[in-house]
Amino acid sequence: VQFNEQDKGILSYCLAALLDMFGSTLAIPLVLAKPMCYDQNPLATSEIIGTIFFVSGICTLLQTTFGNR
């Protein structure tokens, strides 16, 4: 696959958006762990992280299916 300069710019923007989305999704349960009293329980933290990624995926599927019409 050949990439020109314009493709490299688009790919870098896509990578930046992906890392931003991943970081913000992962930060929510880590920031809220102490106020919700599950900071000492890694199983609860992992379940909440998994739930947030699952719901985020469902929202992405709904947005790509129905869109903003």
Side-chain angles (χ1 to χ4, degrees):
V1 176
Q2 296 288 332
F3 293 113
N4 59 21
E5 290 299 318
Q6 183 180 4
D7 292 336
K8 290 179 183 177
I10 291 171
L11 288 175
S12 66
Y13 286 132
C14 291
L15 181 63
L18 179 70
L19 290 175
D20 183 43
M21 184 176 59
F22 180 76
S24 62
T25 302
L26 190 62
I28 293 168
L30 297 177
V31 168
L32 294 178
K34 190 163 179 88
M36 294 178 69
C37 300
Y38 65 86
D39 56 339
Q40 300 299 321
N41 189 353
L43 181 62
T45 305
S46 65
E47 287 177 353
I48 292 177
I49 290 172
T51 302
I52 288 178
F53 275 112
F54 180 74
V55 172
S56 176
I58 289 176
C59 290
T60 301
L61 288 175
L62 288 173
Q63 283 179 337
T64 56
T65 302
F66 300 111
N68 220 2
R69 296 176 187 194

